[in-house]
Amino acid sequence: MSTPSPQPGIMDISLYVGGQSALPGRDDVVKLSSNENPFGASPKAIAAFESSSRQLHRYPSTDHASLRGAIGDVHGLDSDRIICGVGSDEILHLLCQAYAGPGDEVLHTEHGFAIYKITALAAGATPVEAKERERVTDVDTLLSAATERTKICFIANPNNPTGTMIGGNDLARLADGLPKGCLLVLDGAYVEFAEDYDGGLSLIESRENVFMTRTFSKLYGLGGLRIGWGYGPREIIGVLNRIRGPFNLSHAQLAAAEAAVRDREFAARCVAENTRMRAWMANALAELGVPSDTSCANFILARFANVDEAAACDAWLKEDGIIVRQVASYKLPHCLRVTVGDEASCRRVVAAVRSFKEQTQ
Ligand SMILES: *Cc1c(COP(=O)(O)O)cnc(C)c1O
């Protein structure tokens, strides 16, 4: 007897570690470790989710036409070129499964999202990392790392966990400079929190090698329900639909997401609050000697003097019931990523960091 061996690459995957969500013995925890919406989901999405319980015995739609129509209406997109998935994670997996395999390379940036490496390895491809410039995506290092074996280049714009982003000219230079046949995937998990940015739509419309992914997990507060979508050239959507599970999304997911994307008023209010509290918290922390890069997302990456100070502050915050995210696995061991919470939570973070700084002086 012998144990079956998995495909090459799979055992090289480090298990994904999610943000911590509880502290033993505390019920006043503020969870700022997973970039969730502090206001939860739209009441309309919750109502739609609840009514979907009457259809539990029915198979859901396989073509997601109603949700795709709603996304198309809201964003002014051709709904035939939208694909919906179990979080944008599923779309990222489908892209790798379809376009990268053994012998191929998948490019991502130094502090890029953990899933890019995981999904490349899961497909048997080789992940390749390009250095960033001071925690910002660097088009030059990406282009020089690309070879004829590079099949996909993933960038999150704005990026997690840095919160920084690159502009339209840089994106176009990247799309045009990649080798022929290499797909540029713009992960737009945080697009809605950036000002005057459409996620790279004009780039997608004018090229054949650019694809965008989006999610309901961040702005729409539906991370627990798992819904994301992708938009790109018709040919790519046709490829991904062949390998997508026909019933990948349940009634509950489809109904809640549709109600969420149609509730523009709730979404606008959440964006406005995020913008206000993000600036307030970043300034207040900087005044305490904890700087951060200007964030275009719903979190800030707080920089400490060194690894020890970051770890000590993390422990201090936990003592105070505040959970933030250590990002050592993103090669940023001297930083902590702090989700922008509601006003009370942001004030708690700043007060706790102030007392941390005072007691260490
Ligand atoms: C949170 C996040 C996602 C979203 O993942 P879902 O599977 O849609 O929940 C995608 N990309 C990045 C960079 C993220 O931070």
Side-chain angles (χ1 to χ4, degrees), residues 15-236:
L15 288 178
Y16 184 85
V17 180
Q20 197 179 348
S21 60
L23 294 173
R26 287 199 77 119
D27 54 11
D28 61 341
V29 165
V30 175
K31 185 190 177 203
L32 301 173
S33 56
S34 299
N35 301 340
E36 294 152 342
N37 186 334
F39 307 105
S42 152
K44 293 179 178 166
I46 295 171
F49 174 83
E50 284 170 355
S51 8
S52 75
S53 68
R54 290 192 290 273
Q55 299 199 60
L56 291 178
H57 60 302
R58 300 278 184 213
Y59 270 91
S61 146
T62 65
D63 65 7
H64 312 149
S66 186
L67 174 57
R68 287 188 296 103
I71 294 169
D73 284 351
V74 165
H75 294 280
L77 302 176
D78 176 359
S79 62
D80 288 342
R81 290 167 50 201
I82 295 173
I83 180 171
C84 301
V86 183
S88 47
D89 280 2
E90 184 183 28
I91 311 288
L92 301 173
H93 282 298
L94 294 177
L95 286 163
C96 264
Q97 199 187 333
Y99 291 100
D104 296 332
E105 291 173 355
V106 172
L107 195 52
H108 61 87
T109 66
E110 184 182 4
H111 309 301
F113 188 41
I115 299 292
Y116 308 147
K117 194 171 168 190
I118 291 175
T119 188
L121 288 167
T126 306
V128 174
E129 180 181 302
K131 282 261 178 262
E132 298 189 19
R133 186 171 23 82
E134 293 279 308
R135 300 170 303 279
V136 181
T137 297
D138 186 341
V139 171
D140 294 311
T141 60
L142 281 166
L143 290 180
S144 49
T147 72
E148 74 281 0
R149 288 187 302 279
T150 311
K151 293 296 154 60
I152 301 181
C153 172
F154 283 118
I155 70 162
N157 203 46
N159 188 34
N160 169 21
T162 57
T164 60
M165 66 184 293
I166 58 173
N169 292 343
D170 274 335
L171 289 176
R173 198 156 66 82
L174 179 57
D176 294 338
L178 287 171
K180 222 168 138 13
C182 174
L183 180 63
L184 172 61
V185 177
L186 302 174
D187 178 337
Y190 302 98
V191 164
E192 295 92 345
F193 301 109
E195 240 164 81
D196 302 323
Y197 176 54
D198 62 6
L201 281 181
S202 54
L203 215 58
I204 296 170
E205 301 305 358
S206 56
R207 286 165 182 77
E208 274 158 19
N209 68 329
V210 187
F211 194 91
M212 165 175 84
T213 60
R214 303 285 287 265
T215 185
F216 283 89
S217 301
K218 307 289 157 60
L219 172 62
Y220 294 103
L222 291 171
L225 202 53
R226 317 301 306 126
I227 315 124
W229 55 281
Y231 181 74
R234 192 176 299 274
E235 294 69 24
I236 296 181

